[in-house]
Amino acid sequence: MNSTTPKIRYAAAIKPGMETFWSLCLLVSILLVIQGCKKPEEEPKPFSSPGLQLITDNLVSPLSITEAPDGSKRMFIVDQVGKIWVIAKDGSRMPIPFLDISSKMVTLNPNYDERGLLGFAFHPNFKANGRFFVYYTARPRPGGPQPGTNWNNLSRVSEFKVSANRDEADINSEKFILEEDHPQGNHNGGTIAFGPDGYLYISIGDGGGSNDNGIGHVADWYTVNTGGNGQDVYANLMGNILRIDINSGSPYGIPADNPFVSKPGKDEIYAYGFRNPYRFSFDMGGSHQLFAGDAGQVLYEEIDLVKKGGNYGWNVKEGTHCFSTVDNKTELASCPMVDTAGNLLIDPIIEMSNVNNPRGGLATTIVGGNVYRGEELPQLKGQYIFGIFSRSSGVPNGKLFISNPPKSGPWSYTDLALKNYPDNLGVYLKGFGQDQKGEVYITTSGVAGPNGTTGKVFKLANVSVKGS
């Protein structure tokens, strides 16, 4: 049959004046058929805001929470005042602390203090060997950084073992692993965590004070700025993230590929150039990257993606900007981009202005968090969650943020809106934690210092809100 025959017959059948109408109908029908054959595009899924589910309260100053890697489903909370609390599988808190080392620590200032029990990590084989580690600030050793001046405290990493009662530690099993004399009372760092390589990572601040100078802060290669524990890798371990092997040596061994092995520099150093890397974490998924929140001086706060041997700039730079010890509120016009060993001064992936920045800012102190790898909140999968201690000095108004990794360049971030806390937390944000499933937790307190009983631990979760 000739292909034009149907068209001729159809045209002949159309009454005068109806041709245009039926032609349009035919065209629309053809377009609808074509459209129906196309694969429908997926509409973007609406972002469902998570909320906060209370895990426990009546703590003093909780700084972190982690799950025991032994299948017991128990969560362990670090309280700055020297206690570790156990949350049982049923959600109840044990009446007696798992560990209480308050008598071994310096006396804390109740109004505000960066010392105390700061870090806690289970040995990866805890289920079999019962070993765990803590970081705390002990009373200082005799002497000081110079004649007539005493050290403020002793940064100490210790090993303990669990007792026959798995909900209590053996307080007499303490073994000192690593100690570093600390000249001032702030910038202690304090996170300890096992990396995917099985080594123990430790963050230690630059020694305290301001600008990384003064008593106990050695001179470094950058003579424009005084002091510089952050840039020094020879005299002490301050201003660094360390990596040690606690399964060999006495009291520990050094991983053979640490950057300063067989060359000038402290063998324990993994990365350097930090001011106060208070909280860091490893991504449980992906390539297991190491994220560290480094508290700034007065202009900029930062989140760093830490690499082995990396120099993160302090006190040559604060964030991405050239720093001045003469006037820490005025950026220098220029500064070196590499150190004297040729190592690049690595910029942060996230930079946030401090509230004291003359140009305006948001954060008093940045608090490093975790990459979400849980199942309850799929909309957060693979995103980095972090926060700020507060948005203004002396006001309990911490805030959470979320950042999605870009293909390259700096990471953007946005507010992490919460269903039941739509504007701000209404408390100080003090830390984060993560369980074995990758769910993320936050630790908070209604007061800035380690006192009272306003400390709480929350889990990021799907929550229902009345009226929503």
Side-chain angles (χ1 to χ4, degrees):
M1 184 183 291
N2 191 300
S3 62
T4 61
T5 303
K7 293 182 181 178
I8 293 171
R9 288 178 178 174
Y10 183 75
I14 298 176
K15 293 181 180 180
M18 295 292 291
E19 185 174 351
T20 302
F21 171 78
W22 287 111
S23 297
L24 287 172
C25 289
L26 181 62
L27 178 61
V28 169
S29 299
I30 292 170
L31 289 174
L32 288 172
V33 170
I34 293 172
Q35 182 66 28
C37 295
K38 292 174 72 175
K39 185 178 180 181
E41 294 182 11
E42 285 190 16
E43 294 184 9
K45 295 178 181 178
F47 182 87
S48 176
S49 295
L52 295 181
Q53 174 190 335
L54 181 66
I55 299 300
T56 192
D57 55 8
N58 291 315
L59 300 165
V60 182
S61 181
L63 303 184
S64 64
I65 178 172
T66 189
E67 182 180 346
D70 60 0
S72 67
K73 307 296 184 182
R74 294 174 300 161
M75 301 295 294
F76 288 70
I77 298 169
V78 173
D79 200 327
Q80 185 180 358
V81 292
K83 297 178 181 180
I84 296 175
W85 296 95
V86 180
I87 304 296
K89 182 179 179 179
D90 64 3
S92 63
R93 191 169 86 205
M94 297 294 177
I96 299 174
F98 174 73
L99 180 71
D100 184 352
I101 56 169
S102 53
S103 62
K104 298 173 179 286
M105 302 190 321
V106 292
T107 301
L108 302 182
N109 182 340
N111 296 318
Y112 179 78
D113 211 315
E114 295 178 15
R115 303 169 300 172
L117 174 57
L118 304 177
F120 174 59
F122 288 106
H123 189 284
N125 198 26
F126 171 75
K127 184 175 182 179
N129 61 30
R131 299 170 68 189
F132 66 92
F133 301 81
V134 296
Y135 179 124
Y136 67 97
T137 50
R139 289 183 288 273
R141 291 186 282 207
Q146 67 183 40
T149 304
N150 295 323
W151 298 106
N152 179 275
N153 65 83
L154 179 66
S155 295
R156 174 182 287 163
V157 176
S158 285
E159 176 185 330
F160 287 87
K161 289 187 177 181
V162 71
S163 69
N165 178 353
R166 301 291 284 184
D167 291 325
E168 292 182 25
D170 180 358
I171 190 66
N172 297 313
S173 66
E174 183 174 16
K175 174 185 177 183
F176 299 158
I177 300 295
L178 183 144
E179 297 180 325
E180 182 73 9
D181 296 305
H182 210 82
Q184 286 89 39
N186 53 349
H187 304 180
N188 300 283
T191 299
I192 56 175
F194 282 90
D197 52 15
Y199 297 129
L200 183 64
Y201 290 70
I202 306 161
S203 66
I204 299 184
D206 66 9
S210 60
N211 303 335
D212 197 7
N213 62 34
I215 295 171
H217 298 256
V218 301
D220 64 18
W221 59 271
Y222 184 53
T223 56
V224 172
N225 283 342
T226 55
N229 283 339
Q231 287 300 309
D232 171 75
V233 296
Y234 311 108
N236 57 59
L237 297 177
M238 290 182 280
N240 305 312
I241 289 179
L242 315 178
R243 181 174 73 156
I244 61 174
D245 182 358
I246 50 77
N247 293 317
S248 68
S250 182
Y252 59 84
I254 300 293
D257 64 337
N258 270 12
F260 294 105
V261 171
S262 301
K263 62 178 68 172
K266 294 283 188 181
D267 288 351
E268 293 89 345
I269 297 174
Y270 179 79
Y272 58 107
F274 298 99
R275 182 176 179 270
N276 185 23
Y278 166 59
R279 300 287 88 168
F280 74 78
S281 69
F282 287 95
D283 184 357
M284 291 177 64
S287 57
H288 306 294
Q289 293 174 305
L290 172 53
F291 294 80
D294 195 14
Q297 183 66 58
V298 294
L299 296 181
Y300 300 100
E301 306 290 313
E302 65 183 79
I303 300 289
D304 296 304
L305 198 55
V306 180
K307 306 288 187 182
K308 181 175 67 176
N311 182 346
Y312 291 85
W314 177 254
N315 70 356
V316 180
K317 299 174 76 175
E318 182 182 16
T320 61
H321 307 264
C322 297
F323 182 75
S324 171
T325 57
V326 175
D327 179 3
N328 58 30
K329 286 194 175 182
T330 302
E331 300 169 23
L332 293 178
S334 64
C335 57
M337 294 294 105
V338 297
D339 61 23
T340 51
N343 296 312
L344 179 71
L345 303 186
I346 302 172
D347 283 340
I349 57 169
I350 295 172
E351 181 179 273
M352 180 179 288
S353 293
N354 188 284
V355 292
N356 294 304
N357 194 315
R359 299 175 184 174
L362 181 63
T364 54
T365 303
I366 203 162
V367 183
N370 297 81
V371 176
Y372 184 84
R373 294 294 179 184
E375 298 296 333
E376 292 186 28
L377 302 168
Q379 70 273 28
L380 304 184
K381 200 86 167 185
Q383 299 187 65
Y384 180 67
I385 300 168
F386 67 102
I388 55 175
F389 179 70
S390 65
R391 290 184 282 177
S392 48
S393 181
V395 180
N397 55 0
K399 199 168 182 64
L400 297 178
F401 299 91
I402 190 164
S403 180
N404 218 359
K407 291 183 179 179
S408 62
W411 294 30
S412 61
Y413 61 89
T414 187
D415 295 0
L416 179 56
L418 301 169
K419 283 182 181 177
N420 46 350
Y421 294 85
D423 181 46
N424 64 74
L425 299 175
V427 288
Y428 292 100
L429 175 66
K430 296 200 169 180
F432 287 84
Q434 199 161 28
D435 62 25
Q436 296 287 302
K437 291 183 177 179
E439 303 297 338
V440 171
Y441 301 72
I442 68 168
T443 61
T444 71
S445 177
V447 294
N451 73 88
T453 57
T454 61
K456 297 180 180 181
V457 177
F458 296 91
K459 178 183 178 182
L460 281 172
N462 280 316
V463 298
S464 58
V465 180
K466 275 188 177 182
S468 63

